[in-house]
């Protein structure tokens, strides 16, 4: 409502379960098809460093097989990416600290390992379908049979930082409440903001550059 965008101009990326797949499906399912070229990616401050590394990696990855404007990649990538972080409101200091630690480790893994190994969009697809725990068939079967012990290993503060209640927690009314799929929720929120701003910027012809300030 604040942007005065009509409903038909809002698009939700709901295929992904984490930030890597969010960037992947945003590019292939939306940007390459709709010819959206200027993107403003919005997410929390604690999530921004890893988000920027991932989106820069995915959107600038060349293609080994599809040589056209959509998949040129590298230095000639048609995409212009801008980033805007929002304050980490609604979380305790301990939860933010736990999440920042997790984000830092994950960002280092993406920057130093994944982006160096999977250097084309096809290789990213290979990673998602053969190694990613949210997309490989065997991992999905194991996840479906999990009794909750795998979730317990993550840690309560990190779980709660995704916007859910950790396993065994209670809702505001005091009744027991199970945690939603935290990675799905996180990816969907980032994706919805991304899709809305991409179309908004494409209709206006430009995007304003934002620089986040850290306290």
């Amino acid at each position: 409502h604040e942007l005065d965008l009509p409903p038909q101009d809002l698009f939700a990326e709901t295929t992904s379960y984490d930030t890597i797949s969010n960037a992947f499906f945003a590019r292939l399912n939306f940007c390459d098809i709709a010819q959206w070229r200027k993107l403003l990616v919005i997410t929390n401050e604690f999530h921004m460093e890893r988000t920027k590394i991932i989106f820069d990696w995915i959107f600038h990855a060349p293609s080994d097989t599809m040589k056209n404007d959509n998949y040129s990649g590298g230095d000639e990538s048609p995409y212009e990416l801008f980033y805007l972080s929002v304050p980490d409101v609604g979380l305790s200091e301990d939860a933010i600290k736990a999440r920042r630690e997790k984000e830092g480790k994950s960002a280092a893994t993406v920057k130093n390992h994944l982006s160096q190994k999977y250097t084309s969009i096809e290789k990213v697809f290979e990673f998602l379908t053969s190694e990613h725990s949210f997309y490989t068939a065997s991992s999905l079967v194991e996840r479906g049979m999990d009794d909750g012990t795998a979730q317990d290993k993550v840690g309560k503060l990190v779980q709660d930082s995704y916007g859910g209640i950790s396993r065994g927690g209670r809702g505001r009314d005091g009744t027991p409440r199970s945690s939603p799929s935290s990675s799905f929720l996180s990816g969907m929120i980032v994706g919805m903001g991304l899709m809305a701003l991409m179309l908004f910027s494409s209709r206006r012809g430009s995007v304003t550059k934002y620089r986040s300030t850290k306290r």
Side-chain angles (χ1 to χ4, degrees), residues 40-41 48 51-52 55-56 81-85 210-211:
L40 176 59
V41 184
M48 180 53 74
T51 296
K52 187 178 186 304
F55 271 77
D56 285 347
L81 275 66
F82 307 98
Y83 298 90
L84 175 64
S85 61
Y210 291 89
R211 180 175 298 175

Side-chain angles (χ1 to χ4, degrees), residues 49-60:
E49 178 186 8
R50 183 164 67 93
T51 296
K52 187 178 186 304
I53 292 173
I54 289 173
F55 271 77
D56 285 347
W57 163 38
I58 299 297
F59 274 84
H60 295 152

Side-chain angles (χ1 to χ4, degrees), residues 35-52:
Q35 299 288 299
W36 293 336
R37 293 295 179 252
K38 294 184 178 181
L39 291 76
L40 176 59
V41 184
I42 304 173
T43 190
N44 294 83
E45 289 180 350
F46 64 68
H47 187 47
M48 180 53 74
E49 178 186 8
R50 183 164 67 93
T51 296
K52 187 178 186 304

Side-chain angles (χ1 to χ4, degrees), residues 63-105:
S63 172
D64 293 332
T65 58
M66 294 172 279
K67 302 299 182 182
N68 55 49
D69 290 340
N70 289 343
Y71 296 87
S72 57
D75 295 335
E76 298 181 4
S77 172
Y79 299 107
E80 293 183 72
L81 275 66
F82 307 98
Y83 298 90
L84 175 64
S85 61
V86 297
D88 300 325
V89 297
L91 296 175
S92 67
E93 292 185 3
D94 288 340
I96 293 176
K97 180 180 178 181
R99 186 62 187 275
R100 285 186 182 277
E101 291 177 355
K102 178 180 181 299
E103 290 287 327
K105 293 178 181 178

Side-chain angles (χ1 to χ4, degrees), residues 124-182:
V124 175
F125 174 78
E126 178 184 347
F127 162 73
L128 288 174
T129 55
S130 64
E131 297 187 40
H132 198 294
S133 60
F134 286 138
Y135 293 97
T136 58
S138 59
S139 296
L140 288 173
V141 171
E142 293 177 1
R143 187 177 299 276
M145 298 177 65
D146 177 47
D147 60 1
T149 55
Q151 179 177 319
D152 288 339
K153 296 178 182 179
V154 176
K156 180 181 182 302
L157 288 174
V158 173
Q159 291 177 41
D160 290 350
S161 73
Y162 280 92
I165 299 296
S166 57
R167 184 171 171 269
R170 294 178 178 273
R172 293 183 177 180
D173 59 355
T175 58
R177 183 172 68 177
S178 60
S179 174
S181 175
S182 59

